[in-house]
PDB file of all heavy atoms in Angstrom:
ATOM      1  N   LEU A 338       7.931   5.451 -24.211  1.00 94.00           N
ATOM      2  CA  LEU A 338       7.182   4.400 -23.505  1.00 94.00           C
ATOM      3  C   LEU A 338       7.636   4.256 -22.056  1.00 94.00           C
ATOM      4  O   LEU A 338       6.820   4.109 -21.148  1.00 94.00           O
ATOM      5  CB  LEU A 338       7.338   3.062 -24.244  1.00 94.00           C
ATOM      6  CG  LEU A 338       6.559   2.960 -25.551  1.00 94.00           C
ATOM      7  CD1 LEU A 338       6.908   1.663 -26.274  1.00 94.00           C
ATOM      8  CD2 LEU A 338       5.057   3.035 -25.319  1.00 94.00           C
ATOM      9  N   THR A 339       8.955   4.312 -21.849  1.00 94.00           N
ATOM     10  CA  THR A 339       9.443   4.158 -20.472  1.00 94.00           C
ATOM     11  C   THR A 339       9.056   5.375 -19.616  1.00 94.00           C
ATOM     12  O   THR A 339       8.720   5.222 -18.439  1.00 94.00           O
ATOM     13  CB  THR A 339      10.972   3.948 -20.418  1.00 94.00           C
ATOM     14  OG1 THR A 339      11.588   4.898 -21.274  1.00 94.00           O
ATOM     15  CG2 THR A 339      11.362   2.553 -20.828  1.00 94.00           C
ATOM     16  N   ALA A 340       9.100   6.570 -20.224  1.00 93.00           N
ATOM     17  CA  ALA A 340       8.694   7.772 -19.466  1.00 93.00           C
ATOM     18  C   ALA A 340       7.224   7.644 -19.061  1.00 93.00           C
ATOM     19  O   ALA A 340       6.856   7.945 -17.921  1.00 93.00           O
ATOM     20  CB  ALA A 340       8.914   9.022 -20.297  1.00 93.00           C
ATOM     21  N   LEU A 341       6.415   7.163 -19.980  1.00 93.00           N
ATOM     22  CA  LEU A 341       4.994   6.951 -19.711  1.00 93.00           C
ATOM     23  C   LEU A 341       4.803   5.920 -18.591  1.00 93.00           C
ATOM     24  O   LEU A 341       3.964   6.096 -17.709  1.00 93.00           O
ATOM     25  CB  LEU A 341       4.312   6.462 -20.995  1.00 93.00           C
ATOM     26  CG  LEU A 341       2.833   6.807 -21.152  1.00 93.00           C
ATOM     27  CD1 LEU A 341       2.646   8.318 -21.251  1.00 93.00           C
ATOM     28  CD2 LEU A 341       2.261   6.127 -22.393  1.00 93.00           C
ATOM     29  N   SER A 342       5.621   4.868 -18.627  1.00 92.00           N
ATOM     30  CA  SER A 342       5.528   3.831 -17.590  1.00 92.00           C
ATOM     31  C   SER A 342       5.881   4.394 -16.218  1.00 92.00           C
ATOM     32  O   SER A 342       5.333   3.953 -15.206  1.00 92.00           O
ATOM     33  CB  SER A 342       6.496   2.683 -17.877  1.00 92.00           C
ATOM     34  OG  SER A 342       6.356   2.249 -19.182  1.00 92.00           O
ATOM     35  N   CYS A 343       6.807   5.353 -16.193  1.00 91.00           N
ATOM     36  CA  CYS A 343       7.193   5.937 -14.903  1.00 91.00           C
ATOM     37  C   CYS A 343       6.109   6.892 -14.390  1.00 91.00           C
ATOM     38  O   CYS A 343       5.942   7.042 -13.179  1.00 91.00           O
ATOM     39  CB  CYS A 343       8.511   6.699 -15.024  1.00 91.00           C
ATOM     40  SG  CYS A 343       9.905   5.622 -15.314  1.00 91.00           S
ATOM     41  N   ILE A 344       5.404   7.523 -15.314  1.00 91.00           N
ATOM     42  CA  ILE A 344       4.370   8.484 -14.891  1.00 91.00           C
ATOM     43  C   ILE A 344       3.103   7.728 -14.436  1.00 91.00           C
ATOM     44  O   ILE A 344       2.495   8.080 -13.438  1.00 91.00           O
ATOM     45  CB  ILE A 344       4.041   9.465 -16.042  1.00 91.00           C
ATOM     46  CG1 ILE A 344       5.283  10.304 -16.379  1.00 91.00           C
ATOM     47  CG2 ILE A 344       2.883  10.382 -15.677  1.00 91.00           C
ATOM     48  CD1 ILE A 344       5.186  11.101 -17.658  1.00 91.00           C
ATOM     49  N   CYS A 345       2.743   6.682 -15.161  1.00 90.00           N
ATOM     50  CA  CYS A 345       1.535   5.920 -14.832  1.00 90.00           C
ATOM     51  C   CYS A 345       1.754   5.127 -13.526  1.00 90.00           C
ATOM     52  O   CYS A 345       2.693   4.333 -13.422  1.00 90.00           O
ATOM     53  CB  CYS A 345       1.219   4.980 -15.989  1.00 90.00           C
ATOM     54  SG  CYS A 345      -0.091   3.825 -15.608  1.00 90.00           S
ATOM     55  N   PRO A 346       0.898   5.339 -12.495  1.00 89.00           N
ATOM     56  CA  PRO A 346       1.157   4.733 -11.174  1.00 89.00           C
ATOM     57  C   PRO A 346       1.281   3.202 -11.180  1.00 89.00           C
ATOM     58  O   PRO A 346       2.129   2.669 -10.478  1.00 89.00           O
ATOM     59  CB  PRO A 346      -0.052   5.165 -10.344  1.00 89.00           C
ATOM     60  CG  PRO A 346      -0.581   6.354 -11.018  1.00 89.00           C
ATOM     61  CD  PRO A 346      -0.296   6.203 -12.473  1.00 89.00           C
ATOM     62  N   LEU A 347       0.464   2.526 -11.986  1.00 90.00           N
ATOM     63  CA  LEU A 347       0.497   1.058 -11.940  1.00 90.00           C
ATOM     64  C   LEU A 347       1.807   0.495 -12.488  1.00 90.00           C
ATOM     65  O   LEU A 347       2.422  -0.384 -11.879  1.00 90.00           O
ATOM     66  CB  LEU A 347      -0.688   0.478 -12.712  1.00 90.00           C
ATOM     67  CG  LEU A 347      -1.998   0.385 -11.909  1.00 90.00           C
ATOM     68  CD1 LEU A 347      -3.099  -0.187 -12.759  1.00 90.00           C
ATOM     69  CD2 LEU A 347      -1.806  -0.448 -10.637  1.00 90.00           C
ATOM     70  N   SER A 348       2.215   1.032 -13.639  1.00 91.00           N
ATOM     71  CA  SER A 348       3.488   0.564 -14.196  1.00 91.00           C
ATOM     72  C   SER A 348       4.658   1.023 -13.310  1.00 91.00           C
ATOM     73  O   SER A 348       5.658   0.325 -13.178  1.00 91.00           O
ATOM     74  CB  SER A 348       3.664   1.039 -15.634  1.00 91.00           C
ATOM     75  OG  SER A 348       3.283   2.379 -15.750  1.00 91.00           O
ATOM     76  N   ALA A 349       4.479   2.222 -12.701  1.00 90.00           N
ATOM     77  CA  ALA A 349       5.521   2.713 -11.778  1.00 90.00           C
ATOM     78  C   ALA A 349       5.658   1.752 -10.598  1.00 90.00           C
ATOM     79  O   ALA A 349       6.770   1.457 -10.153  1.00 90.00           O
ATOM     80  CB  ALA A 349       5.173   4.112 -11.290  1.00 90.00           C
ATOM     81  N   LEU A 350       4.511   1.264 -10.135  1.00 89.00           N
ATOM     82  CA  LEU A 350       4.513   0.312  -9.025  1.00 89.00           C
ATOM     83  C   LEU A 350       5.270  -0.960  -9.412  1.00 89.00           C
ATOM     84  O   LEU A 350       6.096  -1.475  -8.646  1.00 89.00           O
ATOM     85  CB  LEU A 350       3.066  -0.038  -8.653  1.00 89.00           C
ATOM     86  CG  LEU A 350       2.892  -0.988  -7.481  1.00 89.00           C
ATOM     87  CD1 LEU A 350       3.214  -0.288  -6.183  1.00 89.00           C
ATOM     88  CD2 LEU A 350       1.477  -1.532  -7.438  1.00 89.00           C
TER      89      LEU A 350
END
Side-chain angles (χ1 to χ4, degrees):
Chain A
L338 287 174
T339 46
L341 208 64
S342 310
C343 291
I344 296 168
C345 172
L347 276 180
S348 43
L350 182 73

